[in-house]
Amino acid sequence: MKRHGPFQLSRRSVRLFYDIHSWAGILGGLAFFVCAYSGTLALFEQELIAWERPAVRPVANGPEKTVDELFAIAQGRLGTGDDMFVALPTPFTGGLQARTFGDDGVTRIFVDPYTGEIDDDPYGSAFAFLTHLHTDLHLPRPFGRYLVGLLGIFMLMSLISGVMAHPKVFKELFLLRWRPKLRLSFSDLHKQVGVWGLAFGMVMAFTGAVIGLLGLIAPIMVLSAFGGDVGKATEAFSGPHYDRTGVEAEMLPVSELIAAAEERAPGFAVSSLFVEHWGDETAEVSLNMERTPHDKLAAGETHRLSLVDGRTLHVSTFTDRGIGSRLFGAMQPVHYALFGGMGLKLLYFISGMVLSFGIASGAVIWLEKRRTATADGQTRRDRYFWLGRAHLGICLGLVLGSVIAICAGRFAPEVIEPTFWLSWLAVAIAACFVPSGFTLLRTGGFATAVLLAAVAVGDLVTSQRGTAETRSVDIAMLALAALLAAAVAKFPRERAAAKRRDPGTSADPIPGRV
């Protein structure tokens, strides 16, 4: 029996892997695209907080306030009755961020590090909204996160089967044919993207599956290790838990505890903290520490300290429990590019966009191939036609809707959610009625480029509190808009594409042509 490819697979095995790859991509392709694309944008959630909200951009106006002063200002607004999460100021995030989790839900404020002015945040941000879409598809927790974890497993299966299904893919690593058929060009480009982005896609799928399914995996692992004793397992991983007693006690300065923790853990710096039971004798603070600089692939540490006497209650770290623990602790830094600085995040951004294109193009190629090969009735051909339209509209609608949401997040944060969902739905519906898929793609691409350029120029013109970081974001958006417009301009027009069809066929290389 003849063997094919570097893995020496039989023709039957190749066909099996092709079917697995095809159906995994079709059944989960749209969900894969949503997770991959929204995750690519979610990489910059923290870096773009100040860009989205000009009121929290730090502008030097006298000496910078201490952590204790900013913390006291936040407590004055939020009160001390609820537990509070605090993110310390950075050049990107602007001032101190504080959140409480009371009976009325989550309340978040920003405190200017120079003036101490408070900016309330009743609406959130577009990038936080897109991050939520990536982590759980805006479904009820924890079921949405579990679904995303399962999608990671299916995506990993699709990537592996895709390599097995194309035995000559490594030989054709540099093959890219632009003529005579556009579908052939798309097929070559899809293979190129798949191979060059294979390692990135597999790492993202695997780490995403582990993070998403952690809520299901961790209890099983913990309970099996501790014989079903939940209390013992919880204490081993997070230390002893204390309830509020109602006995008042004097609190130590937060800055003093931060300095002590950073002295005990050289190479780490406190990025955020969580305060519980403020004013009570059981009051404590959990200091979340990250490596500085972010050039090492290692998870951070969490130090729980008493706010009364400063003693260490517990230290959570993945660096002292063997190689397995280190690898598990590296899952989140690898998935969200929490090491290596901005250069690595930009590389992740490019790789994520390439992966998203690979997912969308694969579905387009398969559906068009099935439509043109179907000869047993107009009904089946129509079925593939409408499936193609659905993929085209949903994928393009997500891209355009996310950019519209970013525009709303900068200028009208109160309408982020309705504008996103309505614009996504409008494009998906429009895909069913426009005469040509080419027209929809070109129009959507140009509209995305124009919106990116408009929001960047609008920020530069209207903002009176620009910083070096926010101006760099505007310049990056203008550059991205120019690249996108140039790419769309190079996209073949309808007539040119029609000339490249094979004689005797009326198939359009992209689903959606009538």
Side-chain angles (χ1 to χ4, degrees):
M1 181 181 295
K2 186 177 180 180
R3 301 285 173 172
H4 300 269
F7 303 103
Q8 294 297 298
L9 299 174
S10 65
R11 184 182 299 274
R12 182 179 180 182
S13 298
V14 171
R15 183 64 187 177
L16 176 63
F17 280 116
Y18 180 82
D19 290 338
I20 293 174
H21 178 68
S22 300
W23 285 107
I26 292 300
L27 296 177
L30 290 176
F32 295 163
F33 180 84
V34 171
C35 289
Y37 177 78
S38 59
T40 302
L41 299 182
L43 287 169
F44 304 99
E45 178 188 356
Q46 291 300 312
E47 286 80 1
L48 296 180
I49 288 177
W51 178 85
E52 279 196 280
R53 298 189 64 80
V56 306
R57 297 177 184 177
V59 178
N61 185 15
E64 188 172 355
K65 294 185 179 297
T66 66
V67 173
D68 292 318
E69 290 174 329
L70 296 174
F71 186 73
I73 294 172
Q75 283 188 318
R77 170 61 64 88
L78 299 175
T80 59
D82 296 322
D83 298 335
M84 184 163 62
F85 173 83
V86 175
L88 300 181
T90 70
F92 286 103
T93 59
L96 177 142
Q97 302 176 62
R99 294 197 295 269
T100 57
F101 308 88
D103 296 334
D104 298 331
V106 179
T107 303
R108 180 168 68 170
I109 63 171
F110 295 87
V111 184
D112 190 287
Y114 296 99
T115 65
E117 295 178 356
I118 296 176
D119 180 73
D120 294 301
D121 180 45
Y123 304 114
S125 74
F127 285 92
F129 179 80
L130 292 171
T131 299
H132 190 9
L133 181 65
H134 172 70
T135 56
D136 51 32
L137 302 176
H138 285 281
L139 296 174
R141 297 182 180 181
F143 303 107
R145 182 173 288 268
Y146 296 160
L147 176 59
V148 171
L150 291 173
L151 287 172
I153 295 177
F154 278 100
M155 184 173 174
L156 189 62
M157 180 177 66
S158 178
L159 291 170
I160 296 174
S161 61
V163 175
M164 298 295 189
H166 299 89
K168 298 180 181 180
V169 69
F170 292 104
K171 291 183 179 180
E172 300 175 351
L173 199 56
F174 299 96
L175 177 63
L176 186 58
R177 296 163 287 188
W178 289 109
R179 290 177 174 83
K181 292 179 63 178
L182 187 60
R183 193 181 76 191
L184 185 63
S185 300
F186 265 73
S187 179
D188 288 344
L189 192 57
H190 174 72
K191 294 175 185 176
Q192 301 275 334
V193 166
V195 175
W196 289 109
L198 179 63
F200 176 81
M202 291 182 69
V203 169
M204 292 299 102
F206 177 74
T207 55
V210 172
I211 295 172
L213 296 175
L214 183 60
L216 292 176
I217 299 172
I220 299 174
M221 296 173 59
V222 169
L223 293 177
S224 63
F226 292 90
D229 191 334
V230 178
K232 187 177 180 180
T234 302
E235 184 171 342
F237 280 87
S238 60
H241 176 74
Y242 305 102
D243 294 325
R244 185 188 290 268
T245 64
V247 178
E248 295 184 1
E250 185 176 353
M251 301 290 99
L252 291 174
V254 174
S255 59
E256 179 180 319
L257 299 178
I258 291 176
E262 291 179 343
E263 184 178 354
R264 287 193 301 268
F268 285 85
V270 175
S271 60
S272 60
L273 51 98
F274 185 70
V275 175
E276 298 179 79
H277 307 164
W278 180 269
D280 193 82
E281 64 175 355
T282 61
E284 62 180 67
V285 58
S286 297
L287 303 176
N288 301 313
M289 308 183 71
E290 298 178 353
R291 285 193 177 273
T292 55
H294 301 289
D295 58 354
K296 294 184 179 180
L297 181 55
E301 299 182 354
T302 300
H303 293 228
R304 283 181 57 205
L305 307 176
S306 170
L307 278 165
V308 178
D309 53 22
R311 74 183 188 279
T312 300
L313 303 177
H314 186 77
V315 176
S316 297
T317 177
F318 289 97
T319 59
D320 60 353
R321 298 179 182 176
I323 185 64
S325 180
R326 287 175 178 267
L327 290 174
F328 185 76
M331 291 293 172
Q332 192 160 346
V334 168
H335 192 75
Y336 292 106
L338 301 179
F339 68 102
M342 184 56 67
L344 183 67
K345 285 203 172 187
L346 292 175
L347 180 61
Y348 266 51
F349 176 80
I350 296 172
S351 301
M353 287 300 177
V354 168
L355 179 62
S356 301
F357 171 81
I359 294 170
S361 62
V364 167
I365 294 166
W366 188 86
L367 287 168
E368 177 58 22
K369 184 177 180 180
R370 294 297 292 261
R371 184 166 73 92
T372 56
T374 299
D376 55 349
Q378 185 64 35
T379 301
R380 292 193 64 185
R381 287 195 293 272
D382 288 345
R383 183 187 307 164
Y384 291 119
F385 171 83
W386 291 113
L387 279 173
R389 283 297 185 94
H391 277 76
L392 183 64
I394 291 174
C395 292
L396 182 61
L398 176 60
V399 174
L400 193 58
S402 63
V403 175
I404 292 175
I406 292 171
C407 295
R410 172 58 184 84
F411 294 105
E414 66 275 8
V415 296
I416 291 175
E417 294 193 28
T419 54
F420 173 80
W421 295 117
L422 288 175
S423 56
W424 191 358
L425 179 62
V427 176
I429 294 175
C432 299
F433 296 98
V434 293
S436 169
F438 284 103
T439 302
L440 185 64
L441 280 175
R442 291 177 64 85
T443 303
F446 277 123
T448 302
V450 169
L451 286 172
L452 281 174
V455 71
V457 172
D459 179 69
L460 289 170
V461 172
T462 62
S463 177
Q464 299 179 353
R465 302 186 66 176
T467 65
E469 288 76 19
T470 59
R471 283 191 290 270
S472 66
V473 172
D474 292 325
I475 293 172
M477 284 188 172
L478 288 172
L480 185 60
L483 288 173
L484 180 59
V488 174
K490 289 292 184 180
F491 192 80
R493 294 181 179 275
E494 181 179 351
R495 290 182 180 178
K499 292 179 181 179
R500 286 198 289 267
R501 296 179 195 160
D502 283 347
T505 179
S506 61
D508 191 338
I510 295 180
R513 168 110 169 112
V514 228

